[in-house]
Amino acid sequence: MSKLTIVMYHYVRDLRNSAFPRIKGLDISSFRRQMDFLQAEYSFISMEDLTACIKGSKPLPDNACWLTFDDGYRDHYEFVFPELASRGIEGAFFPPVKPVAEREILDVNKIHFILACVSDANVIVEELRSLYLESDLTQSTGKSFDDYCVDLAKPSRFDSAETIFVKRMLQHALPEIWRGRFADFLFGKYVSVDARAFAEDLYMSPTQLSEMVQAGMYVGGHGYRHIWLNQEKPQAQLEEIEKNLTFLDGLDSPTDDWVMCYPYGAYNEDTLEILKRKGCLVGLTTQVGIADLQKHPRLELPRLDTNDLPQ
């Protein structure tokens, strides 16, 4: 068999007792129910099983399923790791290096928690409008704020048009220096004035990741800074990937036949070429679908979101 259901998770936490109940995550009780469902319907595989299948030494079992967890959250250590260990399941975890090793909160997470602190994303849209106008960015960007709204305010599978607009403006649409300033201002206003302490609570530590590797979990690549690789020049991409491999080596996680999980699902031909040179076996996208190891390029495998499956 060559079909593989790869399930993608991000926040998995005790939402009922969370200070941020509106964060778009999976409650631990729902996660346990989903594990019950998946164990009844699928055969979980390990990284070793996946490697053997790709190299032709062993086919996948029927209804093969692989669990992947992005972004290195402490939730994964506190809630997911013990749950998987108790069930004898190997999970695959993909932490970005900078927040884990340097305790610096990523802008993408600042955005998530800013949005989680308001009941209506339009509040943040209007905040951005004010910041944009006060900073007189129309002249330097050549675009009005409403031009950005027309281009970016388009709903996705799980987010409203307003939420997507906020994410895209602060992730990549605005010039980098202004993205950072606006995200910092809004994070300080709505979430926390102590970003470093927040990062300490949000992300796993290298020690915790090493413990998970020693316990049989797989830890792979998710970049150094968690950036849109397809918007970077080849040399910058290479540096991201090499720093990531150095970090994995320090965890005693394999750096031969390793897995790259693309931040934001973003990559290009340069990324693929670099990964081939660096011995990457598998690349994980955010494209929606069941992976077919005979059909899909192994560096461009699709995944399902946890929300695509019963909980």
Side-chain angles (χ1 to χ4, degrees):
M1 291 292 292
S2 62
K3 297 287 183 67
L4 176 60
T5 298
I6 307 173
V7 188
M8 172 175 54
Y9 296 89
H10 290 89
Y11 299 105
V12 181
R13 54 177 43 199
D14 182 1
L15 290 173
R16 292 169 297 179
N17 296 304
S18 172
F20 304 95
R22 283 195 292 267
I23 196 74
K24 288 201 170 180
L26 185 65
D27 186 77
I28 185 60
S29 60
S30 297
F31 178 70
R32 292 184 180 117
R33 287 194 298 272
Q34 190 164 80
M35 290 301 99
D36 291 340
F37 166 78
L38 291 172
Q39 279 193 299
E41 300 293 332
Y42 292 84
S43 297
F44 291 116
I45 69 161
S46 65
M47 182 59 192
E48 183 179 356
D49 296 326
L50 180 58
T51 301
C53 177
I54 289 173
K55 295 197 168 184
S57 60
K58 184 176 71 173
L60 294 177
D62 292 341
N63 297 321
C65 181
W66 193 37
L67 304 182
T68 64
F69 301 85
D70 296 8
D71 294 342
Y73 300 127
R74 184 182 292 267
D75 298 339
H76 296 165
Y77 177 78
E78 293 184 352
F79 299 116
V80 173
F81 171 39
E83 187 66 29
L84 296 184
S86 70
R87 295 171 183 258
I89 301 169
E90 179 188 301
F93 297 83
F94 299 96
V97 176
K98 192 174 181 68
V100 169
E102 301 177 24
R103 318 314 279 168
E104 182 176 315
I105 186 169
L106 296 171
D107 282 349
V108 64
N109 294 130
K110 290 178 185 175
I111 297 164
H112 291 163
F113 283 93
I114 291 166
L115 288 165
C117 286
V118 298
S119 58
D120 183 357
N122 279 302
V123 172
I124 306 303
V125 172
E126 293 309 310
E127 287 270 20
L128 284 175
R129 183 187 298 275
S130 296
L131 290 167
Y132 190 88
L133 296 176
E134 288 169 8
S135 304
D136 195 24
L137 289 184
T138 299
Q139 184 174 358
S140 60
T141 64
K143 297 177 71 171
S144 71
F145 188 83
D146 287 334
D147 288 336
Y148 281 109
C149 289
V150 171
D151 291 344
L152 302 176
K154 298 176 178 18
S156 71
R157 289 205 301 154
F158 303 122
D159 286 322
S160 68
E162 293 78 16
T163 295
I164 286 293
F165 175 76
V166 171
K167 288 182 175 181
R168 297 297 178 258
M169 285 289 276
L170 294 177
Q171 286 172 348
H172 63 80
L174 290 172
E176 183 175 3
I177 188 171
W178 294 105
R179 293 199 308 264
R181 289 178 182 177
F182 292 175
D184 286 346
F185 171 79
L186 293 169
F187 187 82
K189 180 174 180 177
Y190 287 98
V191 187
S192 173
V193 295
D194 192 341
R196 184 172 182 84
F198 197 90
E200 287 284 353
D201 289 337
L202 182 59
Y203 303 109
M204 282 187 275
S205 69
T207 300
Q208 290 167 336
L209 279 165
S210 292
E211 179 186 339
M212 292 167 65
V213 170
Q214 293 302 313
M217 301 293 153
Y218 176 76
V219 176
H222 202 40
Y224 176 70
R225 293 173 292 158
H226 196 279
I227 58 175
W228 296 70
L229 290 170
N230 62 344
Q231 297 185 14
E232 299 291 326
K233 293 182 178 179
Q235 182 59 35
Q237 293 194 41
L238 177 61
E239 291 172 3
E240 281 284 316
I241 291 165
E242 287 182 335
K243 286 180 178 180
N244 202 160
L245 288 172
T246 299
F247 178 75
L248 294 179
D249 190 57
L251 299 176
D252 289 328
S253 190
T255 52
D256 294 321
D257 295 333
W258 58 287
V259 180
M260 179 66 180
C261 177
Y262 304 112
Y264 307 103
Y267 62 96
N268 58 21
E269 290 300 320
D270 293 325
T271 320
L272 300 178
E273 182 58 36
I274 292 167
L275 291 175
K276 290 173 186 175
R277 297 202 311 264
K278 293 296 179 179
C280 184
L281 183 71
V282 168
L284 300 178
T285 74
T286 55
Q287 297 167 27
V288 181
I290 306 297
D292 187 331
L293 300 182
Q294 292 182 348
K295 173 185 174 184
H296 294 109
R298 58 182 173 84
L299 293 181
E300 300 177 81
L301 298 184
R303 295 188 285 176
L304 296 182
D305 189 88
T306 175
N307 292 298
D308 293 317
L309 296 166
Q311 298 172 8

